[in-house]
Every structure is written in C-alpha cells, then in structure tokens.
Amino acid sequence: MDRKSLTADDSQRDILAQKLLLEAEEALAERDSVAAMSLATKASTLLAPFLKLADSSVPSAP
C-alpha cells in the first residue's frame, strides 16, 4: 500500500490501525491474549477496505 496516495480519512484509519497493532503486540508481550486478539481484530476491521483495494488492483490469472 502506498501511504502517500491515501486520502486524509484513509490515512487516519491507517494510523489508528497501526497503533492498535502495536498495542496488540504489547498485550501479547504481557501474555494478555484476550486483549491482543481484540486489538488485532479491530485493526483488521480498519484495514479491510485497503485489502479490497489491493485485491482489485491485481490482475486475474489467465
């Protein structure tokens, strides 16, 4: 994903998702798997629209 081409809203969504992922890593380090899973799920939900965009830009196999 080219972060330079993101809209302001998408950029904010990306920043929040990255923060949630960092918090999930911290929760894992503290062995809090419930919090880690919750944070990672929230980040995944925020990043899902980017994945759909990436999939649509990849040409189909012949």
Side-chain angles (χ1 to χ4, degrees):
M1 171 175 58
D2 181 13
R3 288 186 168 97
K4 293 178 185 175
S5 64
L6 295 177
T7 65
D9 286 343
D10 286 344
S11 180
Q12 288 299 315
R13 180 179 290 121
D14 178 57
I15 291 167
L16 179 55
Q18 297 306 321
K19 287 180 182 179
L20 289 168
L21 289 173
L22 287 174
E23 290 177 23
E25 288 178 357
E26 290 171 8
L28 275 179
E30 295 171 4
R31 301 201 183 279
D32 187 349
S33 59
V34 173
M37 185 61 109
S38 175
L39 291 161
T41 299
K42 290 174 184 176
S44 175
T45 300
L46 287 171
L47 294 173
F50 297 130
L51 297 176
K52 290 177 185 174
L53 288 174
D55 286 344
S56 66
S57 66
V58 176
S60 305

